[in-house]
Amino acid sequence: MKTAKELIAKLLNMLGIDNEQEFCNKYDVVYGTLQSWKFRNSIPYELILDICKKNNIRLESVFYDEIAPVRDVISVRYYQDISASAGYGVINCDEQCSEIVLDKSFAKELLNVNNAKNIDIIKIYGDSMEPFVHSGEFVVVERNKNDFNRIKDGEIVIININGDIYCKKILKNPYTKEITLSSLNSFYPDFKINEEDFENTKIIGVVSKAISIKDFERAFIKINN
């Protein structure tokens, strides 16, 4: 795989940009930050994805000189501009997603799924769900499991409450019509949702696995636009 310096140079060439300062001005990047990426060999994956998407550039053509054919693939949705709070809630307005195309064997290893038809990847902010997932890491969300009756007691869910999106453990009370949203970090208190509040509550899906930043970067180089 190319270094950060090589990737930036190739991207500038593909965009027809003559110099790094022009690139920084166009994409609102601090020039010193770009130099730091090169010096530390730190690849700005999300910026590259965003630029490739806006300019209709195949991401493989940036990362590789030759694109090897991928025969057996599945795709998942990555919501680059949506995050779920593991703390006190994050309002998310932009629901545009990118498609990540992975070979099936790699997807099974990374996502622990055989069929990614209803799979989303969402970033987590906050520390209330540690050690299961840390702030800045990602979770695999099974969208087909979004009904209160189908969700099992103790499962971790992504849930929308009045526009705020949370990542929490769901606890069902078999005797009362309410649920409790619990954090794994004992610093954060639980909170309850009563039946009358259900109409303002939507479960997006069940979290099947947490993905570290390192593993997400491994997946990133297999993205198609």
Side-chain angles (χ1 to χ4, degrees):
M1 182 173 166
K2 297 181 181 297
T3 65
K5 181 178 180 180
E6 292 169 335
L7 286 172
I8 291 169
K10 186 171 184 180
L11 187 59
L12 264 64
N13 181 63
M14 297 177 76
L15 293 168
I17 295 177
D18 294 330
N19 58 72
E20 293 176 351
Q21 187 62 63
E22 181 183 350
F23 173 84
C24 291
N25 293 339
K26 183 172 182 178
Y27 292 103
D28 196 26
V29 175
V30 176
Y31 184 76
T33 300
L34 184 143
Q35 299 306 315
S36 177
W37 290 337
K38 293 162 55 179
F39 178 76
R40 298 181 180 181
N41 195 28
S42 177
I43 298 171
Y45 290 97
E46 294 196 12
L47 176 64
I48 292 175
L49 171 61
D50 187 54
I51 291 173
C52 288
K53 183 178 179 181
K54 289 179 179 177
N55 292 276
N56 197 28
I57 297 173
R58 288 175 62 86
L59 200 63
E60 300 98 318
S61 64
V62 178
F63 283 95
Y64 300 106
D65 294 324
E66 296 182 3
I67 304 174
V70 180
R71 297 179 181 178
D72 197 9
V73 299
I74 58 177
S75 62
V76 299
R77 294 175 297 273
Y78 168 48
Y79 288 85
Q80 183 176 351
D81 298 318
I82 289 185
S83 59
S85 174
Y88 295 110
V90 176
I91 295 177
N92 295 267
C93 299
D94 188 355
E95 293 194 5
Q96 294 183 353
C97 65
S98 300
E99 184 180 74
I100 302 178
V101 179
L102 307 171
D103 66 80
K104 284 188 176 180
S105 60
F106 184 81
K108 186 174 182 180
E109 172 193 346
L110 178 66
L111 309 180
N112 196 29
V113 295
N114 291 313
N115 187 344
K117 184 177 180 180
N118 294 303
I119 294 295
D120 293 347
I121 295 178
I122 295 177
K123 182 179 284 187
I124 299 298
Y125 285 108
D127 61 357
S128 80
M129 295 305 287
E130 293 182 355
F132 173 70
V133 60
H134 296 80
S135 186
E137 294 184 338
F138 306 84
V139 291
V140 178
V141 183
E142 296 185 60
R143 280 256 190 180
N144 59 323
K145 297 181 179 179
N146 59 0
D147 187 283
F148 278 108
N149 296 323
R150 294 184 60 191
I151 294 173
K152 299 177 182 178
D153 182 57
E155 287 191 303
I156 295 174
V157 299
I158 301 296
I159 187 168
N160 186 319
I161 306 173
N162 291 317
D164 286 343
I165 299 179
Y166 299 83
C167 176
K168 295 294 179 184
K169 182 178 181 179
I170 192 168
L171 302 174
K172 293 183 174 182
N173 189 325
Y175 304 106
T176 62
K177 293 183 177 180
E178 66 180 18
I179 61 173
T180 298
L181 297 179
S182 178
S183 301
L184 299 183
N185 185 339
S186 60
F187 176 80
Y188 293 84
D190 297 346
F191 58 94
K192 298 182 184 297
I193 300 177
N194 299 316
E195 184 180 18
E196 56 266 27
D197 297 323
F198 281 1
E199 62 181 32
N200 297 319
T201 300
K202 179 183 177 182
I203 293 181
I204 297 173
V206 171
V207 174
S208 61
K209 187 176 182 181
I211 305 177
S212 68
I213 296 174
K214 181 179 180 181
D215 282 341
F216 184 72
E217 290 177 352
R218 290 173 59 205
F220 227 107
I221 63 173
K222 295 177 179 290
I223 293 176
N224 276 334
N225 284 324

